[in-house]
C-alpha cells in the first residue's frame, strides 16, 4: 500500500501542511526540533489512531489551537481510500471515505504501518506491558478480529476483577455467575493465546534468515511466554485444564483482588543463542533484534495481507554501522514505500538519495528539494 498524500491542520508544529509522497523512498532531512518526528507521528496516528510517543491525544494539537486534523489518501492497487482523523477535546472522530467509523477495529486494519525509531529498544528492555501493547497492535493490524476479542477479554476481565474484590471484602456474589464469567474469559483467552502463538511462529519463520543476512548470525528467536503455561493437546482438554488452573488460583486471585494469570500477563522474549537479549545483549544486538522483528513483520504483511505496510524510519541510521546500514537498506528498498528522516544527509548512501524523493524541513515547513530523477 502507498500513502499518496497527507494533509495536516494544527498538528503539533504544523499549522497547515500538504505533502505528496513518492511510492518508493522519501527522505526528509532537517535540523533537530524542526518537525521530522512530528510528521512521521502524524502518519502513524492516521493509520493506528494513537501516537507512538504520547498517550494524550490533546498533545497532538498545536498548542495555540483547539482541534487538529490529519487526512490522507491510501492507495491499494486500483483502490484509493480516504482516511481522516479529527482530534478535539480529547475526542477523536475517525472517517473512512467521509463516513464516520465507530469501531476502531473497523479502522485500523486499513493502513498498515511499521515504524522504527530510536526509543524502539524499550520494546526489548522495557516492561512486559510495553511488549504486550506492541504485539497487540501488530496483531490488530493484521487481523481485525484480534482487536475485537482483546476488547471483549478486557471487559470480562474487568468484571471478574470486580467480583474478586467483592469476594475479598466478603460481599455476597453469585458464584454461578462468577463461574460463567470465568468460562467466557477462558474462551477469549484461548483465542488470544492461539493467535499470539501463531504470530510468533510466523515471525520466527522469517527472522532467522533476516537476522542472518543482516547480522551474519543465525540463532535469533522470538519466544512467546504465556502466563498460563499449559500444553495444548486437544481443544476440549485445553479449555478444561485452563479452567482448572483458574480455579486452583482462585484463593490467590481473591487475595490479590485481581485475575493474576491470563493473556494480560503474557510476555515475549528476544533470544540469541537461547540467551535473553534483554539482560545480556549488547546495545547493537538489541537494536538489530528489534529491526529484525520489524522486517519479519513486513514479510508477514506481504504474505498474509497481500500488501506491503508503509515503513517509517525515524532517525535510525545514525545508530548503525555502515555495513549493517547497507544490509538493512538492501532489505527495505525493495518495493515498499519508505519514509526516512535524518538530520544528516551524509548518513545516507548517494545511490539511495538519487532514487528518493527529497524534502527539507524547517520549523514546520516542508520544502521539496527533488523528485525522483530516474524513471523508476
Ligand atoms: N502540540 C504542539 N504544538 C506546537 N508545537 C509543538 C507541539 N508538540 C511539539 N511541538 C514542537 O515540535 C518541535 C519538535 O518536533 P520534532 O518533530 O520532535 O523534531 P525533530 O525534527 O527533531 O524530529 C519542537 O519545536 C516542539 O516545540
Ligand atoms: Mg525527531
Amino acid at each position: 500500500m502507498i500513502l499518496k498524500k497527507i494533509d495536516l491542520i494544527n498538528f503539533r508544529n504544523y499549522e497547515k501542511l500538504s505533502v505528496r509522497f513518492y511510492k518508493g523512498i522519501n527522505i526528509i532531512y532537517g535540523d533537530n526540533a524542526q518537525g521530522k518526528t512530528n510528521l512521521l507521528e502524524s502518519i502513524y496516528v492516521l493509520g493506528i489512531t494513537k501516537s507512538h510517543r504520547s498517550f494524550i491525544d490533546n498533545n497532538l494539537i498545536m498548542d495555540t489551537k483547539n482541534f487538529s486534523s490529519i487526512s490522507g489518501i491510501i492507495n491499494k492497487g486500483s483502490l484509493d481510500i480516504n482516511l481522516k482523523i479529527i482530534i478535539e477535546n480529547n475526542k477523536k472522530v475517525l472517517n473512512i471515505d467521509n463516513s464516520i467509523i465507530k469501531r476502531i477495529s473497523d479502522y485500523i486494519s486499513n493502513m498498515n504501518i511499521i515504524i522504527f525509531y530510536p526509543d524502539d529498544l524499550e520494546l526489548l528492555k522495557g516492561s512486559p506491558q510495553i511488549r504486550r501493547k506492541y504485539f497487540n497492535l501488530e496483531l490488530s493490524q493484521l487481523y481485525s478480529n484480534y482487536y475485537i476479542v482483546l476488547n471483549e477479554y478486557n471487559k470480562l476481565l474487568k468484571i471478574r476483577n470486580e467480583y474478586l474484590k467483592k469476594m475479598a471484602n466478603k460481599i455476597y456474589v453469585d458464584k454461578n455467575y462468577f463461574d460463567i464469567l470465568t468460562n467466557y474469559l477462558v474462551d477469549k483467552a484461548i483465542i488470544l493465546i492461539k493467535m499470539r502463538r501463531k504470530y510468533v511462529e510466523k515471525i520466527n519463520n522469517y527472522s532467522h534468515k533476516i537476522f542472518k543476512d543482516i547480522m551474519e548470525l543465525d540463532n535469533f528467536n522470538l519466544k512467546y511466554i504465556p502466563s498460563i503455561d499449559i500444553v495444548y493437546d486437544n481443544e476440549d482438554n485445553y479449555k478444561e485444564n485452563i479452567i482448572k488452573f483458574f480455579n486452583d488460583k482462585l484463593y490467590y486471585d481473591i487475595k490479590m483482588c485481581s485475575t493474576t494469570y491470563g493473556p494480560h500477563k503474557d510476555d515475549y522474549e528476544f533470544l540469541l543463542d537461547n540467551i535473553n537479549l534483554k539482560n545480556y545483549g549488547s546495545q547493537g544486538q538489541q537494536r538489530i533484534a528489534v529491526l529484525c522483528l520489524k522486517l519479519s513483520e513486513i514479510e508477514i504483511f506481504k504474505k498474509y495481507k497481500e500488501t506491503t505496510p508503509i515503513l517509517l524510519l525515524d532517525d535510525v541510521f545514525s545508530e548503525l554501522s555502515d555495513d549493517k546500514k547497507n544490509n538493512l537498506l538492501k532489505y527495505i528498498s525493495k518495493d515498499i514505500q519508505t519514509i526516512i528522516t535524518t538530520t544528516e544527509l551524509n548518513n545516507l548512501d548517494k545511490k539511495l538519495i538519487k532514487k528518493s524523493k527529497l524534502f527539507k524541513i524547517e520549523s514546520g515547513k516542508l520544502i521539496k528539494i527533488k523528485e525522483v530523477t530516474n524513471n523508476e
Side-chain angles (χ1 to χ4, degrees):
M1 70 180 61
I2 291 158
L3 174 64
K4 282 180 152 175
K5 177 172 193 272
I6 196 161
D7 286 280
L8 305 179
I9 301 170
N10 304 336
F11 184 89
R12 295 234 190 233
N13 67 334
Y14 295 97
E15 186 162 13
K16 205 163 188 312
L17 182 83
S18 183
V19 199
R20 287 197 160 273
F21 291 108
Y22 173 57
K23 66 178 180 5
I25 298 170
N26 300 265
I27 299 172
I28 296 162
Y29 70 100
D31 291 340
N32 279 324
Q34 302 305 307
K36 298 184 297 299
T37 301
N38 292 347
L39 180 57
L40 294 192
E41 183 183 36
S42 73
I43 297 170
Y44 189 88
V45 175
L46 184 66
I48 311 288
T49 79
K50 285 181 207 155
S51 165
H52 63 291
R53 60 170 181 172
S54 170
F55 293 116
I56 303 159
D57 291 332
N58 269 7
N59 290 350
L60 305 175
I61 303 173
M62 187 173 229
D63 45 22
T64 51
K65 310 285 180 177
N66 55 16
F67 82 99
S68 175
S69 144
I70 312 167
S71 49
I73 304 174
I74 298 295
N75 174 267
K76 296 180 187 175
S78 56
L79 183 70
D80 272 356
I81 306 171
N82 287 277
L83 298 179
K84 185 171 185 172
I85 294 192
I86 296 169
I87 305 166
E88 195 169 11
N89 298 326
N90 267 325
K91 271 215 305 243
K92 263 180 300 205
V93 181
L94 313 176
N95 285 272
I96 300 179
D97 292 332
N98 291 320
S99 317
I100 292 182
I101 303 297
K102 289 264 181 255
R103 292 200 312 185
I104 292 184
S105 58
D106 292 331
Y107 184 94
I108 52 173
S109 53
N110 282 289
M111 178 179 171
N112 304 130
I113 296 175
I114 302 267
I115 186 167
F116 294 71
Y117 58 106
D119 282 351
D120 265 344
L121 280 191
E122 275 304 298
L123 182 58
L124 206 150
K125 297 202 289 196
S127 68
Q129 193 188 2
I130 292 176
R131 283 180 288 284
R132 279 194 299 272
K133 207 173 141 204
Y134 177 82
F135 286 106
N136 283 343
L137 206 75
E138 299 309 293
L139 276 149
S140 305
Q141 288 196 68
L142 203 58
Y143 315 107
S144 55
N145 188 39
Y146 181 86
Y147 194 85
I148 295 170
V149 177
L150 183 67
N151 269 338
E152 290 168 343
Y153 176 84
N154 285 332
K155 273 186 204 146
L156 290 164
L157 185 66
K158 213 172 140 204
I159 304 173
R160 188 174 191 268
N161 289 345
E162 281 161 13
Y163 267 71
L164 290 168
K165 239 172 262 164
K166 283 187 184 157
M167 290 172 174
N169 291 313
K170 309 241 175 331
I171 297 168
Y172 171 78
V173 298
D174 181 344
K175 182 67 170 55
N176 278 334
Y177 185 74
F178 179 80
D179 288 342
I180 293 171
L181 207 62
T182 303
N183 192 55
Y184 279 142
L185 187 79
V186 168
D187 283 338
K188 304 297 170 196
I190 289 174
I191 299 173
L192 295 175
I193 293 169
K194 279 188 182 165
M195 285 173 112
R196 288 175 182 182
R197 182 164 285 143
K198 272 213 187 103
Y199 189 69
V200 169
E201 265 171 34
K202 285 187 181 127
I203 294 278
N204 285 329
N205 284 341
Y206 295 105
S207 63
H208 296 282
K209 185 180 179 315
I210 291 173
F211 203 75
K212 193 169 181 180
D213 289 352
I214 295 179
M215 268 301 260
E216 282 122 30
L217 287 170
D218 54 0
N219 292 317
F220 174 71
N221 220 43
L222 181 69
K223 195 172 172 198
Y224 173 43
I225 319 280
S227 83
I228 303 171
D229 193 10
I230 290 176
V231 184
Y232 179 86
D233 41 13
N234 75 61
E235 197 69 47
D236 294 339
N237 255 339
Y238 189 56
K239 184 172 172 184
E240 223 171 83
N241 288 339
I242 294 186
I243 289 190
K244 187 173 174 306
F245 182 92
F246 269 84
N247 288 336
D248 290 345
K249 304 284 178 213
L250 183 59
Y251 284 98
Y252 184 67
D253 279 1
I254 292 173
K255 201 173 127 203
M256 302 309 285
C257 296
S258 86
T259 306
T260 50
Y261 291 84
H264 62 295
K265 297 283 183 188
D266 285 354
D267 200 0
Y268 304 81
E269 282 177 357
F270 295 74
L271 303 174
L272 186 63
D273 281 334
N274 282 322
I275 290 168
N276 190 347
L277 283 175
K278 178 177 182 166
N279 307 321
Y280 298 103
S282 71
Q283 183 102 337
Q285 284 174 328
Q286 292 175 339
R287 188 166 299 284
I288 295 284
V290 176
L291 292 180
C292 176
L293 164 72
K294 296 194 175 189
L295 294 175
S296 308
E297 287 178 344
I298 295 172
E299 300 301 322
I300 291 175
F301 274 115
K302 276 192 204 161
K303 175 136 192 230
Y304 296 93
K305 285 207 93 173
E306 292 175 353
T307 182
T308 50
I310 296 155
L311 193 58
L312 308 177
L313 305 176
D314 194 8
D315 227 344
V316 286
F317 286 100
S318 49
E319 317 263 347
L320 296 172
S321 67
D322 280 352
D323 55 332
K324 292 205 184 88
K325 201 154 56 185
N326 287 334
N327 284 343
L328 178 65
L329 284 170
K330 248 189 276 161
Y331 243 99
I332 59 174
S333 48
K334 285 182 285 185
D335 60 18
I336 175 161
Q337 188 185 33
T338 306
I339 304 171
I340 300 173
T341 72
T342 182
T343 45
E344 283 296 330
L345 271 186
N346 293 341
N347 276 333
L348 299 172
D349 185 59
K350 291 216 166 43
K351 272 192 233 140
L352 181 82
I353 296 175
K354 189 153 182 278
K355 59 178 188 181
S356 306
K357 185 166 179 173
L358 198 59
F359 301 91
K360 182 164 201 249
I361 210 158
E362 263 173 25
S363 40
K365 301 261 183 306
L366 204 65
I367 306 151
K368 189 175 80 191
I369 302 292
K370 77 163 192 68
E371 293 282 352
V372 176
T373 40
N374 53 14
N375 47 2
E376 267 189 306

